[in-house]
Amino acid sequence: MERPAPDVEKIAEQMLKFANMGNESGVNNVILEGVPSVRGVREATFGYFPLALGREAATAVGQVEPDLDYESYLEKILAMEISPEVQALTPDNKRQRDHMERFTVPNLLPSHVITFGRSDGQEVVTLHMLIGISPRTALKEMQRTIKQELQRANFHKN
């Protein structure tokens, strides 16, 4: 039996909803680059969904403004690294993560999101992740899943 296609609009809404949550909602937000301001504009959002969207494996989903290059953002994510200072901010805690994902997965929320934007002419990159997930783990999971998605896409093209 074929599964229904995921609702792309709903997924995009859920990624933005997650990115706007704060610590009181169980989401840590770490600025990786730049300084955000009130006048900032979000350009791209990429979410990591563990075992969600009707898939047997995790998936990464991206939404980029129409006039921007989707693949350039994938390349940025794949090239990113987490500094020791940022990694030290939040450790991995499997119990906390499992507890939070019991809520997020059934509600079609990601476990982590990377947002790209512009603020006062400078790029701003923010990593949003559930408590219990370290910045390095969040980035590595996103990178691994993007690589798998790209390999799968290339396989299906041949």
Side-chain angles (χ1 to χ4, degrees):
M1 181 172 150
E2 192 171 318
R3 293 187 174 127
D7 181 346
V8 177
E9 292 297 318
K10 175 76 171 170
I11 294 167
E13 285 175 25
Q14 294 296 77
M15 288 190 307
L16 292 175
K17 178 180 178 181
F18 185 89
N20 289 326
M21 292 178 173
N23 293 91
E24 67 281 354
S25 299
V27 177
N28 289 321
N29 303 301
V30 178
I31 300 165
L32 300 177
E33 185 179 325
V35 179
S37 74
V38 180
R39 296 179 300 276
V41 176
R42 191 171 289 143
E43 296 177 335
T45 306
F46 288 83
Y48 171 86
F49 294 83
L51 306 175
L53 310 179
R55 305 274 305 267
E56 287 83 27
T59 190
V61 177
Q63 180 185 33
V64 176
E65 290 300 312
D67 58 331
L68 299 173
D69 181 26
Y70 186 87
E71 270 129 34
S72 70
Y73 287 98
L74 292 177
E75 290 170 8
K76 287 179 184 184
I77 293 171
L78 293 174
M80 284 181 177
E81 293 184 15
I82 299 294
S83 71
E85 298 81 23
V86 170
Q87 177 59 22
L89 294 173
T90 309
D92 284 309
N93 182 317
K94 182 170 175 22
R95 188 178 63 77
Q96 283 182 322
R97 178 184 184 155
D98 289 348
H99 175 76
M100 295 301 294
E101 285 181 341
R102 274 195 288 267
F103 168 75
T104 59
V105 170
N107 288 293
L108 202 63
L109 286 165
S111 290
H112 31 284
V113 168
I114 298 174
T115 58
F116 295 86
R118 293 235 161 256
S119 180
D120 297 326
Q122 300 293 316
E123 184 169 58
V124 177
V125 180
T126 307
L127 179 59
H128 314 267
M129 68 231 132
L130 290 174
I131 59 171
I133 303 175
S134 72
R136 184 167 291 131
T137 296
L139 179 61
K140 292 296 180 197
E141 288 177 348
M142 181 78 77
Q143 289 171 330
R144 181 178 55 246
T145 304
I146 287 172
K147 286 177 188 173
Q148 290 169 348
E149 296 279 341
L150 291 172
Q151 289 170 346
R152 189 176 306 123
N154 284 335
F155 176 76
H156 290 297
K157 284 182 185 175
N158 295 332

